[in-house]
Amino acid sequence: MKLSQYARKEGITYRGAWLRWQKGRIPGAYLDDTGHVVVPDPMHERLNDAVVYARVSSAKQKSDLDRQAERMARFANARGLSVVRVVKEVGSGVNDHRVKLTRVLNDDDWGTLVVEHKDRLTRVGFEWFRVLLARQGKRIVVANEADDDRSDLMANFTSIIYSFAARLYGLRGAKERTKRTVHAFTGENKR
């Protein structure tokens, strides 16, 4: 950003900002080819610092969790992001009481959240995450955006029905009840 923008942001005069720059009190500020003082924007710099978030639904998928985290770390590095942390969590995508995700969202040491699929972050309300993080100067990068909205919606619908059936009837009967419910809505064969 220009020195004048920096001054406005800091609530000081341009002269005050100039004096700070001359004394070396603006970290990273430099004189460009045209003779203007350029101050790096910390928000923009922070976007290069990424947190990889990997999630699976059950402890049985623990090995999948490790592979997912490794894939996303490689993906982030290939995009030029610096991975500052890898967070792995076991829990339902519908559950809004995930301790590790909450901790990540409360931290300020990152600018980009990297997930493999939207549903690894949340089954419902993904766009709310995008909007709220953007308000904080952060962003979400999804490695595999779903091309087929219908299949994405059906996967979300199925996982929500499964989650509620598991809560109501216990885990044993949830899978069969979910299949019957999806069959009733879509007319697909239950297999």
Side-chain angles (χ1 to χ4, degrees), residues 101-181:
L101 178 60
T102 302
R103 197 174 302 133
V104 165
L105 295 174
N106 281 320
D107 288 345
D108 286 330
D109 64 341
W110 59 274
T112 301
L113 184 64
V114 179
V115 295
E116 188 166 33
H117 298 279
K118 288 179 181 179
D119 68 352
R120 295 300 90 200
L121 183 61
T122 184
R123 293 285 185 179
V124 181
F126 179 84
E127 289 304 317
W128 291 115
F129 277 94
R130 225 189 264 272
V131 168
L132 294 173
L133 287 175
R135 297 269 309 162
Q136 296 176 6
K138 298 178 178 181
R139 67 181 175 165
I140 302 172
V141 173
V142 180
N144 298 318
E145 293 271 0
D147 294 331
D148 182 9
D149 286 338
R150 186 170 193 274
S151 67
D152 197 27
L153 285 173
M154 282 308 296
N156 288 344
F157 176 71
T158 303
S159 62
I160 290 169
I161 296 293
Y162 179 78
S163 176
F164 286 116
R167 287 182 183 175
L168 284 173
Y169 307 112
L171 291 175
R172 260 190 356 202
K175 195 170 205 172
E176 187 57 37
R177 290 174 200 261
T178 301
K179 286 180 185 177
R180 286 195 303 250
T181 304

Side-chain angles (χ1 to χ4, degrees), residues 18 82 85 105:
W18 176 260
S82 173
R85 193 171 354 144
L105 295 174

Side-chain angles (χ1 to χ4, degrees), residues 72-87:
M72 291 304 91
R74 284 194 308 269
F75 171 82
N77 288 330
R79 296 208 54 190
L81 300 171
S82 173
V83 177
V84 295
R85 193 171 354 144
V86 175
V87 178

Side-chain angles (χ1 to χ4, degrees), residues 7-64:
R8 273 193 302 274
K9 184 178 169 189
E10 293 292 311
I12 59 176
T13 64
Y14 181 83
R15 175 112 175 116
W18 176 260
L19 291 173
R20 276 189 193 177
W21 177 73
Q22 281 186 322
K23 292 178 183 177
R25 293 181 30 214
I26 305 175
Y30 62 94
L31 203 56
D32 70 4
D33 298 339
T34 61
H36 293 95
V37 176
V38 178
V39 179
D41 186 358
M43 287 290 221
H44 183 70
E45 297 282 324
R46 193 175 67 182
L47 286 177
N48 289 328
D49 295 335
V51 170
V52 168
Y53 181 75
R55 181 192 64 79
V56 293
S57 299
S58 69
K60 292 177 185 175
Q61 300 168 313
K62 192 94 167 156
S63 62
D64 293 340

